[in-house]
């Protein structure tokens, strides 16, 4: 299973963190510091895997962002790489040419999308289309809510239509 | 694919190459362009993000965030914050927390927000709580009610949000609260909801399998769901279930195979394609499950052959094409499956082909996967490694640290006696480059394991261990140091005293050299002190004063390390007494004098005690000292009589006075659980007793009173009168009170207990086994004839008993081991897994784990091998291709041409035998290894250990043995887990029973006390057990039930 997902910028700034295994705030900070040091210092030609505390960290760099996932030692690294890519493609499809800025300002959106792709540390949806559909459904609801945020019954009516 | 991805990404991250400041300058433009859904773009928030983005330093960022936290703290607590504002605050909290700061003051607001009726707010609330809280947080309980309500909502988006939260937040205690509703949701019309419900159940299964046991059939049903995403979610859960209980799911094998077939044939909707590969993630999950199902099961494996071939063919790229990442991921998974199941040669051939393609690839990722795959393939077909030696060496020399480590892992799997030196050498030089503790520990453990298993000579073993101690220092488990000491004290396990003393003096030399170095880890110093104390003066090359001077230096250099000091003073004591024993006058050198004076005033009672003992020894006569601390005394075995027959009288009288018989822990627990309804009838069975309950309590019924409080008080005085030692009586108290819980109703059980526990010893109780300890033979005989304790005499213990009794007769030992080796060799080449397992259980079963033909080389060949190996090692670095390749043969050669000779010649030097003791894991109370251990570290232990002998003889003579038996009982009961500490504690806690107290008696009776029997020669290391288990499972196999309900015929319609 996936223990956590990290998005780190090339400068070592955290763009998104999602923890599927319990880590305290202190541990989280430590993990991020440790891993970003290790990952950012690796050369481009080296392999995209790190063995770390009995687990494996698979990372991939997209422009200025590093996407990292920490998986169990017996998980398939190539598959994890593709899960990362799958997530990136969905982000790309949603934001339309996703860039780091999208994630900086809409990190909560990225979280919602991630929640549709991964759940409880496992890949839950392998179809890009259906992720897009759910997110769109939530968005229309939200757009709608913005317009009529006072009228709760309308929202429910809209959602259950 | 790679290029395709690059195009997308280049396009996507067009700002990526600019630096952050530039990016932020474009923010305004970006926002005015209206990146969709910027509903959260309040000015404040944007300013915050912008400020943090522009922060020049970590300190500046810190300051901004701290200011933000203060701001939020103030604002969020204001009354009547508008909903929308509150939502924004929560998102800002998430942002702050993401940057690594503590936002716990706001958690409660996030939880509160989940109660909101507005879906928008609710989702933000759930998002924040799932990010903030771990499942053990106190606030979880506040959210359960909301989740319960939301799971019932008729808006599927609300349900989805709640289910996502369930996956993260619900812990073992709260599972019962939501479980029924989640199960109901499996029938929800929306597939998103069903899918999430399955994942939630999967999570519950991981948290608390017991609460889910009634739902196993549900998972099977879900597998037939018409939506592929729900089915794939079920696969996640099934994977865990299958790995927990393979047998229970054998009958699904055909179903999984047919699903995989259909997926591979592209029968799923196009939406599940990933880069034109049909549902690769589902395929991989299925392959993983098949690997579990096919392991060790011929029949199940055969069902998979055709589908595996299909999958490989579909994903195999054309010639010269590296293939896409995802197809290679599937192919790699196929290799894993093929090597896990009982594959045929065709599949193995395919796996080997793919592996070579990976290894030959330019991409480091594929190389890494290739090394991993190679490790799997050679476990089945060791010859395969030869072909790829060059690639392996390339990877080993690669600058990529990850790849290097993976290659070392591979080498670790390939190690055998002929290449162990080369490989361990590599590992040690790699260890030198490491700095972090985790990796170091791991590699040190491996080196130690390999060294213990394959060491060609004791000399080499000691040197390697010293290096490991030096590099890894205190990361090495203490046990390893004890093993090393044991090896030295026991020698090679043969009667070759000369070789042993050579070994010892070489050890002394090496440690004397080592001690010259400035900074050494504590554990190495301990070993060094012990060795110097024990053997420093043994061969006569070193003068006692020199050694004592060295030891004083060590202690002086480490003023804070009491353990090292303890070792040092003990070592000094030993040297002094050897001197005295040899009839020489001992005059402590001045620095030693001051060291001892220091310790006499030490705060540590342990050190003090040792110092005083040294002083006493200095004043004793030569022959007395010789008796107390004989030269090389730590090589002797100590007899432990765990049955404590001399206490039988006491026990009998206590029983006669109405005391409850002793039940050992297992029985107690077993009976306890059986009686739980008895004891507390109101407590329901299947729930954890301390768990939260979500239904109403039923009306209380009158519980059967157990009377546990009353009985012990009447019992205890008895104990406390006679047992003066406090901890002892406390233990009795707990024991008896626990037994008492059962109440008097279980009279029958009680009788059982009497027979079980005390039956064996009752035989020896009648005639107290006077001057000599009970021989194992005799004891065993009585145990069998009593026939009561068949439980304890489980079959694995038998061989050990045999060895005891034979080691009793001295030389017989040597005959036993070769016989076992013969069997090992025969079974290895006979190839039957059954034999393999059984012989592995007796002896170095470790070996069997290394695939087929990997057997120890001829014993005589060994000494010459190392030299050749190290010579070649140098050639490597010279990088002469030709020589390298020949040396590679040496390294990678797995062909089983080394045969184990049937040897019985005494002179042949057998490293394995010497290491046998090392393989032993000091098991818990059952074995008496710890005795040997404690003894070898702490010589004073021997005084206690021999105390029983003394006391027994004394008691039979004088009938007065109140104190010493207790002392013995303690040291006997002090289990091996404690090791040295056990010894230390003895000294600390029993100051009145000074070792010297028994000296007088010892002097008289030690001549009559017979030599102790061997104890620690054969221990069952856990590896052996695991091998046995493995062999057993392979042997048993499981025949899957024949008819499979055609679950999947209508699956993809």
């Amino acid at each position: 299973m996936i223990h956590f997902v990290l998005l780190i910028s090339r400068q070592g700034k955290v763009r998104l963190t999602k923890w599927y295994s319990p880590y305290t705030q202190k541990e989280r900070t430590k993990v991020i510091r440790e891993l970003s040091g290790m990952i950012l210092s690796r050369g481009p030609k080296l392999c995209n895997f790190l063995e770390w505390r009995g687990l494996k960290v698979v990372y991939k760099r997209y422009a200025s962002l590093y996407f990292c996932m920490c998986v169990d030692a017996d998980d398939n690294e190539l598959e994890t790489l593709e899960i990362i890519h799958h997530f990136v493609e969905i982000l790309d499809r949603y934001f339309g040419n996703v860039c780091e800025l999208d994630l900086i300002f809409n990190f909560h959106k990225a979280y919602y999308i991630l929640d549709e792709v991964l759940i409880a540390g496992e890949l839950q949806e392998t179809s890009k289309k259906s992720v897009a559909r759910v997110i769109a459904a939530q968005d229309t609801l939200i757009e709608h809510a913005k317009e009529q945020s006072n009228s709760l019954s309308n929202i429910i009516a809209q959602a259950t239509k | 694919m790679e290029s395709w991805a690059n195009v997308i990404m280049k396009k996507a991250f067009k700002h990526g190459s600019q630096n952050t400041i530039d990016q932020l300058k474009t923010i305004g433009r970006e926002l005015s362009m209206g990146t969709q859904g910027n509903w959260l773009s309040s000015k404040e928030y944007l300013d915050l993000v912008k400020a943090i983005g522009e922060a020049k330093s970590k300190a500046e960022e810190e300051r901004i965030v701290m200011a933000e936290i203060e701001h939020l703290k103030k604002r969020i607590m204001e009354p009547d914050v508008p909903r929308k504002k509150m939502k924004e605050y929560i998102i800002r909290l998430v942002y702050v927390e993401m940057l690594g700061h503590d936002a716990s003051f706001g958690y409660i607001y996030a939880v509160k927000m989940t109660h909101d009726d507005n879906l928008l707010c609710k989702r933000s609330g759930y998002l924040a709580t799932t990010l903030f809280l771990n499942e053990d947080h106190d606030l979880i309980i506040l959210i359960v009610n909301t989740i319960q309500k939301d799971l019932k909502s008729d808006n599927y988006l609300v349900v989805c949000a709640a289910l996502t939260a369930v996956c993260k937040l619900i812990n073992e205690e709260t599972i019962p609260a939501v479980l029924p509703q989640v199960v109901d949701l499996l029938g929800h019309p929306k597939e998103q909801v069903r899918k999430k419900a399955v994942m939630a159940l999967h999570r519950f299964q991981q948290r608390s399998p017991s609460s889910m046991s009634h739902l196993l059939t549900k998972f099977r049903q879900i597998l037939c769901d018409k939506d592929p995403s729900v089915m794939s979610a079920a696969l996640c859960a099934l994977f865990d279930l299958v790995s927990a209980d393979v047998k229970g799911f054998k009958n699904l094998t055909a179903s999984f195979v047919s699903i995989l077939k259909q997926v591979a044939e592209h029968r799923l909707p196009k939406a599940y394609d990933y880069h034109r590969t049909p549902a690769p993630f589902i395929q991989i999950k299925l392959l993983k499950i098949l690997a579990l199902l096919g392991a060790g099961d011929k029949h199940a494996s055969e069902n998979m052959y055709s589908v595996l071939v299909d999958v490989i063919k579909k994903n195999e790229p054309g010639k010269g094409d590296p293939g896409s990442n995802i197809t290679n991921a599937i192919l790699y998974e196929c290799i894993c499956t093929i090597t896990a199941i009982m594959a045929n040669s065709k599949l193995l051939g395919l796996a080997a082909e793919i592996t070579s393609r990976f290894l030959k690839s330019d991409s480091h990722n594929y190389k890494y996967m290739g090394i991993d795959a190679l490790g799997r393939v050679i476990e089945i077909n060791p010859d395969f490694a030869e072909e790829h030696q060059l690639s392996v060496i390339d990877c080993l020399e690669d600058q990529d640290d990850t790849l290097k480590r993976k290659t070392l892992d591979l080498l670790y799997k390939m190690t055998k006696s002929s290449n162990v030196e080369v490989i361990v050498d590599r590992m040690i030089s790699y260890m030198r480059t490491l700095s972090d503790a985790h990796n170091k520990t791991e590699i040190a453990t491996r080196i130690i394991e390999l060294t213990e298993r394959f060491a060609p000579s004791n000399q080499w073993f000691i040197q390697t261990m010293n290096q490991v101690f030096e590099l890894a220092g205190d990361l090495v488990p203490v046990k390893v140091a004890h093993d090393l000491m044991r090896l030295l004290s026991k020698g090679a396990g043969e009667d070759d005293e000369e070789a042993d003393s050579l070994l010892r003096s070489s050890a002394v030399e090496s440690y004397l050299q080592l001690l010259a170095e400035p900074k050494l880890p504590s554990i190495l110093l301990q070993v060094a002190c012990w060795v110097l104390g024990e053997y420093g003066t043994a061969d006569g090359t070193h003068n006692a004063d020199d050694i004592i001077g060295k030891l004083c230096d060590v202690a002086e250099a480490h003023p804070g390390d009491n353990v090292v000091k303890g070792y040092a003073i003990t070592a000094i004591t030993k040297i002094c007494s050897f001197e005295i024993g040899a009839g020489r006058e001992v005059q402590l050198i001045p620095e030693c004098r001051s060291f001892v004076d220091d310790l006499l005033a030490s705060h540590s009672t342990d050190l003090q005690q040792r110092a005083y003992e040294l002083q006493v020894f200095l004043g004793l006569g030569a022959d007395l000292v010789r008796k107390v601390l004989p030269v090389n005394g730590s090589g002797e075995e100590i007899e432990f009589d765990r049955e404590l027959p001399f206490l039988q009288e006491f026990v009998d009288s206590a029983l006669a006075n109405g005391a409850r018989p002793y039940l050992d822990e297992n029985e107690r627990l077993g009976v306890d659980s059986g009686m739980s309804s008895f004891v507390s009838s109101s407590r329901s069975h299947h729930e954890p007793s301390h768990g939260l309950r979500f239904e109403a309590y039923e009306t209380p019924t009158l519980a059967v009173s157990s009377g546990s409080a009353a009985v012990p008080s009447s019992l205890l005085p008895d104990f406390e009168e006679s047992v003066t030692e406090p901890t002892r009586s406390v233990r009795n108290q707990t024991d008896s009170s626990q037994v008492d819980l059962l109440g008097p109703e279980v009279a029958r059980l009680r009788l059982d207990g009497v027979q079980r526990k005390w039956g064996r010893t009752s035989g020896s109780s009648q005639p107290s086994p006077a001057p000599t300890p009970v021989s194992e033979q005799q004891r065993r005989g009585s145990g069998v004839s009593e026939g009561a304790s068949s439980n304890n005499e489980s079959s694995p213990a038998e061989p050990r008993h045999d060895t005891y009794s034979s080691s009793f007769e001295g030389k017989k030992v040597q005959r036993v081991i070769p016989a076992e080796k013969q069997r090992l060799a025969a079974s290895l080449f006979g190839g039957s897994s059954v034999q393999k397992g059984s012989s592995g259980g007796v002896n170095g079963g470790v070996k069997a784990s290394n695939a087929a033909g990997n057997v120890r080389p001829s014993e005589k060949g060994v000494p010459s091998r190392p030299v050749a190996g190290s010579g070649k090692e140098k050639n490597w670095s010279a990088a002469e291709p030709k020589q390298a390749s020949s040396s590679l043969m040496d390294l990678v050669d797995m062909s089983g041409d080394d045969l184990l000779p049937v040897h019985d010649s005494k002179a042949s030097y057998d490293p394995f035998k010497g290491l046998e003791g090392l393989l032993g894991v000091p098991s818990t109370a059952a074995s008496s290894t710890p005795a040997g251990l404690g003894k070898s570290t702490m010589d004073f232990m021997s005084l206690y250990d021999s105390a029983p002998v003394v006391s027994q003889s004394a008691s039979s003579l004088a009938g007065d043995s109140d104190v010493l038996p207790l002392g013995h009982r303690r040291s006997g009961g002090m289990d091996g887990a404690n090791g040295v500490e056990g010894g230390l504690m003895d000294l600390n806690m029993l100051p009145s029973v000074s070792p010297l107290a028994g000296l007088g008696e010892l002097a008289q009776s030690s001549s009559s006390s017979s030599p102790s029997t061997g104890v620690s020669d054969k221990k069952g290391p856990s590896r052996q057990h695991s091998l046995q288990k493995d062999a057993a499972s392979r042997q048993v196999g499981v025949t899957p039930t024949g008819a499979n309900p055609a679950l999947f015929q209508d699956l993809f319609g």
Side-chain angles (χ1 to χ4, degrees), chain B residues 1004-1017:
Chain B
Q1004 294 160 11
S1005 61
S1006 59
S1007 53
S1008 63
S1009 64
S1010 69
S1012 327
T1013 45
V1015 267
S1016 53
D1017 251 358

Side-chain angles (χ1 to χ4, degrees), chain B residues 397 422 425-426 866-880 883-884 887:
Chain B
E397 316 259 288
V422 184
D425 203 58
R426 284 267 154 178
V867 186
S870 56
K872 282 168 189 169
E873 156 71 5
K874 272 167 207 138
N875 287 341
W876 279 15
S877 43
E880 291 168 27
Q883 275 171 332
S887 68

Side-chain angles (χ1 to χ4, degrees), chain A residues 20 23 25 42 47-49 51 63 76 82 89 94 98 107 112 116 124-125 134 138 141-142 159, chain B residues 4 12-13 36 45 97 119-120 123 134 155 192 195-196 203 274-275 325 329 333 365 368 400 402:
Chain A
Y20 295 103
Y23 289 86
Q25 184 69 29
R42 280 175 72 82
C47 64
N48 295 23
F49 320 127
E51 288 176 18
N76 184 335
E82 292 309 297
E89 280 184 351
Y94 178 76
V98 66
F107 67 93
Y112 288 134
E116 293 306 318
Q124 65 151 329
E125 185 52 77
V134 179
Q138 289 170 353
L141 192 76
I142 284 162
Chain B
W4 178 88
F13 289 75
Q36 43 174 307
Y45 170 71
E97 180 123 336
L119 174 58
L120 200 53
R123 279 186 61 219
N134 277 327
N155 182 342
Q192 282 102 330
K195 177 181 72 189
K196 286 195 158 84
R203 194 69 165 178
Y274 179 84
H275 298 180
N325 226 349
E333 205 58 55
N365 285 353
Y368 177 91
D400 188 341
T402 313

Side-chain angles (χ1 to χ4, degrees), chain B residues 1 15 102 118 123 163 186 251 372 521 532 562 597 658-659 674 748 754 758 764 799 930 958 971 1016 1036:
Chain B
M1 185 227 86
H15 306 285
D102 178 49
N118 183 335
R123 279 186 61 219
L163 279 173
L186 291 176
N251 55 0
D372 188 273
L532 290 185
N562 274 352
D597 287 343
R748 193 181 54 76
V754 179
W758 301 110
S764 51
S971 59
S1016 53
V1036 173

